[in-house]
Amino acid sequence: EMSFSDSGKSFAFVGAGVLVGFGVANLLCRLKPRKPVGKVKLEYFDIAGKGEPVRLALACAGIPFEDVRIAFKDWPARKATAKYGQLPILTFSDGQEVYQSDAMLRWAGTHGDGSLYPNDPTKRLHIEEAMGVAADLYREWSPCIYMGMVPAKYGYDDLSKEDQDALVKKLRERFLAEQLPRFMGYIADIIKDSGGPFLCGSDVTIADLALLNSVTYYSKGIADFVPKNSLEPFPAVVAWTKACLAHPPIAQFYANRK
């Protein structure tokens, strides 16, 4: 799970990710919001990636947690004891470790005041649909990031640095030209259809938390060949990110990180 972070009314493309997520949703459907017992520990790298949505969910749900940021140099030793050899890892007060960020996100969503992941099946369906879009966006972007890190993953075992950089540039520029507008259109339509200001209406849900850093990533200037103004053509999406970041628990979380 390690990560370095056609407008229209129809979202039938959402894909298998929704089916898996909805299965989890059904299992949790009858749970009522409740307060967790004891403080939890969340371990992830000192980046956003797959850990940030969980951090934000814990903060929004009011679940006290130890935010452990593992340095890359220390990861091999921790990886040796990790069940799946990956992060994030959520540890409960009794020592039980839980893996898979989407599972953590949905678990955290069942806490707090119930607005992050409501019990109502129809509301959860819309949340899962939006989370499917988040998963599809991540899948489309993944080659653009991993080709710059581990090109052998895609069968490029003997690329020169020059050829690798050229290929990464080509992939990322094509993504910005073709896929980013498509997905920003999807997100804008989801917000419009829900009435906003968030993805599923007036409340922040785990769908917002799943997508927020995946979207703002494209405006941070941290990826080669992805300019900081990449989101400027999509004002509705920019307005959504600002609304999320102004949500009190999220704003407080980032203020505490400064």
Side-chain angles (χ1 to χ4, degrees):
E1 280 208 306
M2 191 174 77
S3 170
F4 292 93
S5 240
D6 307 320
S7 290
K9 300 292 183 182
S10 172
F11 306 106
F13 77 101
V14 167
V18 167
L19 296 178
V20 174
F22 195 58
V24 176
N26 284 335
L27 291 175
L28 294 173
C29 187
R30 288 171 289 182
L31 291 179
K32 294 181 179 180
R34 56 187 175 82
K35 294 182 179 180
V37 178
K39 188 177 183 179
V40 299
K41 177 173 70 173
L42 181 67
E43 297 172 85
Y44 194 64
F45 302 108
D46 192 15
I47 57 174
K50 289 290 188 178
E52 199 76 347
V54 184
R55 292 173 183 138
L56 294 179
L58 294 171
C60 288
I63 300 172
F65 71 103
E66 182 182 359
D67 188 4
V68 177
R69 310 273 177 140
I70 295 180
F72 291 116
K73 66 180 178 61
D74 298 328
W75 170 232
R78 182 63 178 102
K79 183 177 182 179
T81 63
K83 184 177 181 180
Y84 302 121
Q86 64 185 30
L87 295 174
I89 301 171
L90 185 68
T91 305
F92 293 95
S93 57
D94 63 0
Q96 177 190 10
E97 291 185 349
V98 176
Y99 295 76
Q100 300 298 339
S101 60
D102 285 347
M104 299 173 194
L105 188 59
R106 290 177 175 90
W107 172 81
T110 65
H111 293 75
D113 64 5
S115 61
L116 286 173
Y117 198 42
N119 286 334
D120 180 82
T122 301
K123 290 181 179 180
R124 284 196 173 183
L125 178 62
H126 291 301
I127 291 170
E128 292 293 339
E129 182 180 20
M131 290 182 68
V133 174
D136 287 344
L137 173 60
Y138 176 77
R139 183 167 53 250
E140 289 288 345
W141 172 251
S142 288
C144 300
I145 195 72
Y146 286 110
M147 190 63 73
M149 297 165 51
V150 282
K153 181 182 178 72
Y154 297 94
Y156 292 90
D157 298 294
D158 302 310
L159 273 182
S160 67
K161 183 64 167 64
E162 183 180 58
D163 288 343
Q164 181 181 359
D165 288 346
L167 183 55
V168 169
K169 183 176 186 292
K170 180 180 180 180
L171 286 171
R172 294 183 182 181
E173 289 180 346
R174 180 177 292 174
F175 175 89
L176 292 178
E178 299 176 3
Q179 301 304 326
L180 188 65
R182 181 164 71 93
F183 280 97
M184 296 306 101
Y186 292 149
I187 294 170
D189 282 343
I190 292 174
I191 297 166
K192 181 179 178 181
D193 289 346
S194 76
F198 304 110
L199 290 175
C200 297
S202 59
D203 293 321
V204 168
T205 69
I206 61 172
D208 296 285
L209 307 182
L211 258 172
L212 180 58
N213 279 279
S214 293
V215 172
T216 57
Y217 173 86
Y218 301 109
S219 65
K220 293 180 179 179
I222 59 178
D224 292 338
F225 316 116
V226 180
K228 294 179 70 173
N229 64 353
S230 293
L231 294 182
E232 287 183 4
F234 316 108
V237 175
V238 171
W240 162 74
T241 65
K242 291 180 178 179
C244 289
L245 292 170
H247 183 56
I250 295 176
Q252 187 62 54
F253 173 80
Y254 286 118
N256 291 343
R257 286 288 300 160
K258 291 181 179 179

